[in-house]
């Protein structure tokens, strides 16, 4: 059975071994790029155990907000409707061109205000952390959304290894910037000052829902989804979830981020999902849950903090979220 043949996750988090993900990556590398993606099946052991969503939800019960019983967005939509401006601004550009990015070897530099600066290599990302499955709602600022089973580990687990020093207040992230392999960065219409940058306050970064992500649907991330390592922050607009990370720096001042630099009146540093604060050019009260079409828009209400208020609202106690949007 292939993963694309099942419409609910048939592997529980406890059953994803680093070897499964690693093996899938090897298969992907050895195959003919993205064309081989669909052929990357699940391992036989994983395929044999098919758990229901209810069982999965029960398994994640000890982790508040780590799962949802909402229908998953089909895998094919999640990997073909993307934002990854390094490869172009059309939703179909990343799936078409991201294979031009070389992700092996890969390393992530972790530095700044840490006691033990260093580097993580591809192998460390796949085998050095306990991988979990997290089923999160994912809400783009453009008012579309998905529900995706990600595979990853808490960012906190990574940061702790490098020992942030007491003066560290924020975490700054950078994406790979390689003009030869990223046609969107060579485009004359490109508006971003590359590399793509994002940031979080340290307490947001350490929150258990903040996920360093290496896979989705039990498989390794395809390039268009931000291989080999991306961030997922489920209560914030999608652009905070930076892809293909090469640098993580602990800093003491709020770092500049790509979208805020570009249009500060439209995109704030916090960018928590908030139906009460409209984008200057459109409302944020509703979203189109993918798959969505003209005839079947699948329009649903947007929830404060994307439905994670219970878990994260306390991080922003006393802050005016209309000012700190
Ligand atoms: N490096 C980089 N990261 C990025 C982006 C980008 O253009 N470049 N787009 C962001 C936006 S706007 C969204 S909505 C999500 C999209 O993630 P997805 O394509 O996996 O759905 O990635 C975010 N991370
Ligand atoms: Mo987005």
């Amino acid at each position: 059975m292939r993963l694309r043949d099942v419409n609910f996750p048939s592997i529980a988090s406890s059953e994803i071994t680093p070897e499964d993900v690693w093996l899938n990556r090897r298969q992907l590398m050895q195959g003919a790029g993205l064309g081989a993606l669909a052929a990357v099946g699940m391992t036989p052991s994983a395929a044999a155990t098919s758990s229901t969503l209810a069982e999965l939800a029960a398994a994640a019960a000890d982790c508040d907000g780590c799962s949802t019983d909402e229908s998953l967005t089909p895998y094919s939509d999640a990997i073909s409707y993307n934002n990854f401006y390094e490869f172009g601004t059309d939703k179909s550009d990343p799936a078409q061109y991201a294979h031009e990015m070389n992700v092996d070897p890969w390393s992530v530099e972790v530095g700044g205000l840490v006691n033990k600066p260093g580097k993580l290599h591809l192998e460390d990302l796949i085998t050095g952390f306990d991988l979990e499955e997290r089923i999160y709602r994912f809400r783009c600022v453009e008012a579309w959304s998905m529900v995706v089973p990600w595979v990853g580990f808490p960012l906190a687990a990574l940061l702790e290894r490098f020992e942030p020093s007491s003066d560290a207040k924020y975490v700054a992230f950078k994406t790979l910037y390689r003009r030869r392999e990223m046609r969107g960065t060579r485009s004359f219409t490109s508006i971003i000052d590359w590399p793509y940058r994002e940031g979080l306050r340290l307490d947001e970064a350490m929150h258990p829902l903040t996920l360093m992500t290496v896979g989705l649907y039990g498989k390794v991330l395809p390039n268009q989804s931000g291989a080999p390592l991306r961030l997922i922050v489920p209560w914030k607009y999608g652009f905070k979830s930076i892809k293909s990370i090469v640098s993580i720096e602990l800093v003491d001042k709020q770092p500049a981020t790509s979208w805020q630099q570009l249009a500060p009146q439209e995109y704030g540093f916090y960018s928590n999902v908030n139906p009460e604060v409209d984008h200057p050019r459109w409302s944020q009260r509703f979203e189109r849950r993918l798959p969505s079409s003209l005839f079947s828009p699948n329009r649903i209400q947007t929830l404060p903090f994307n439905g994670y208020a219970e878990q994260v609202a306390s991080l922003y106690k006393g802050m005016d979220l209309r000012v700190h949007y």
Side-chain angles (χ1 to χ4, degrees):
M1 186 169 54
R2 286 173 175 176
L3 193 62
R4 63 175 173 175
D5 297 330
V6 294
N7 52 15
F8 59 87
S10 52
I11 37 175
S13 20
S14 56
E15 292 162 24
I16 300 171
T17 67
E19 289 72 26
D20 289 339
V21 178
W22 180 247
L23 191 70
N24 281 347
R25 170 165 295 284
R26 285 288 145 209
Q27 287 170 336
L28 190 61
M29 298 292 179
Q30 284 157 15
L34 293 183
L37 229 192
V40 176
M42 296 185 304
T43 59
S45 62
T49 44
S50 100
S51 46
T52 63
L53 276 176
E55 282 168 340
L56 258 184
D62 57 330
C63 172
D64 221 13
C66 289
S67 195
T68 165
D69 56 8
E70 288 159 86
S71 320
L72 297 184
T73 298
Y75 178 63
S76 54
D77 290 280
I79 64 158
S80 61
Y81 187 91
N82 301 100
N83 275 335
F84 200 165
Y85 277 24
E86 283 84 340
F87 301 101
T89 52
D90 284 352
K91 293 288 181 283
S92 58
D93 284 338
Q96 198 175 348
Y97 300 119
H99 68 274
E100 292 172 1
M101 169 173 67
N102 184 8
V103 300
D104 189 7
W106 191 273
S107 60
V108 185
E109 185 119 34
V110 186
L113 302 172
V114 293
N115 297 330
K116 294 182 172 167
K119 260 186 186 182
L120 285 171
H121 298 279
L122 190 55
E123 305 82 86
D124 309 324
L125 299 175
I126 305 290
T127 60
F129 295 90
D130 291 332
L131 299 179
E132 301 170 37
E133 180 160 86
R134 298 278 180 92
I135 304 176
Y136 284 156
R137 290 175 291 278
F138 184 83
R139 172 49 160 95
C140 176
V141 74
E142 298 163 334
W144 52 265
S145 67
M146 307 190 283
V147 177
V148 178
W150 304 105
V151 180
F153 51 89
L155 172 59
L158 183 156
L159 293 179
E160 276 159 7
R161 279 197 201 175
F162 296 87
E163 295 183 9
S165 62
S166 56
D167 40 355
K169 300 279 186 296
Y170 294 87
V171 186
F173 304 86
K174 280 187 200 138
T175 293
L176 177 76
Y177 174 34
R178 231 180 247 155
R179 284 171 64 84
R180 269 179 301 119
E181 299 172 22
M182 299 174 143
R183 58 177 66 213
T185 67
R186 304 194 300 263
S187 158
F188 291 114
T189 56
S190 158
I191 44 176
I192 290 174
D193 174 23
W194 309 105
Y196 192 99
R197 288 161 236 246
E198 259 308 332
L200 293 172
R201 218 170 54 191
L202 189 57
D203 59 340
E204 299 177 317
M206 298 299 285
H207 192 281
L209 290 182
T210 303
L211 197 69
M212 272 286 121
T213 304
V214 296
L216 79 178
Y217 297 82
K219 302 191 243 199
V220 72
L221 288 176
N223 283 8
Q224 64 266 40
S225 301
L229 181 75
R230 72 172 303 178
L231 185 68
I232 293 291
V233 194
W235 70 93
K236 292 179 179 282
Y237 291 122
F239 63 82
K240 298 294 291 182
S241 293
I242 182 173
K243 294 177 168 181
S244 303
I245 296 168
V246 292
S247 160
I248 301 177
E249 200 183 359
L250 283 284
V251 295
D252 58 359
K253 292 195 180 59
Q254 185 177 301
T257 61
S258 292
W259 285 99
Q260 197 188 16
Q261 270 184 320
L262 201 65
Q265 67 291 351
E266 299 189 5
Y267 310 104
F269 176 79
Y270 284 94
S271 291
N272 294 316
V273 175
N274 190 345
E276 302 293 323
V277 177
D278 287 340
H279 185 279
R281 292 181 279 130
W282 60 84
S283 162
Q284 294 291 23
R285 292 206 171 272
F286 294 90
E287 64 201 55
R288 294 180 295 116
R289 175 63 55 83
L290 301 185
S292 147
S293 68
L294 205 54
F295 302 108
S296 174
N298 206 11
R299 193 164 175 264
I300 60 173
Q301 224 166 357
T302 289
L303 299 173
F305 299 104
N306 202 23
Y308 300 98
E310 199 188 308
Q311 291 82 26
V312 303
S314 61
L315 296 176
Y316 309 101
K317 222 165 52 201
M319 282 174 65
D320 183 345
L321 297 177
R322 291 182 171 276
V323 176
H324 300 282
Y325 55 91

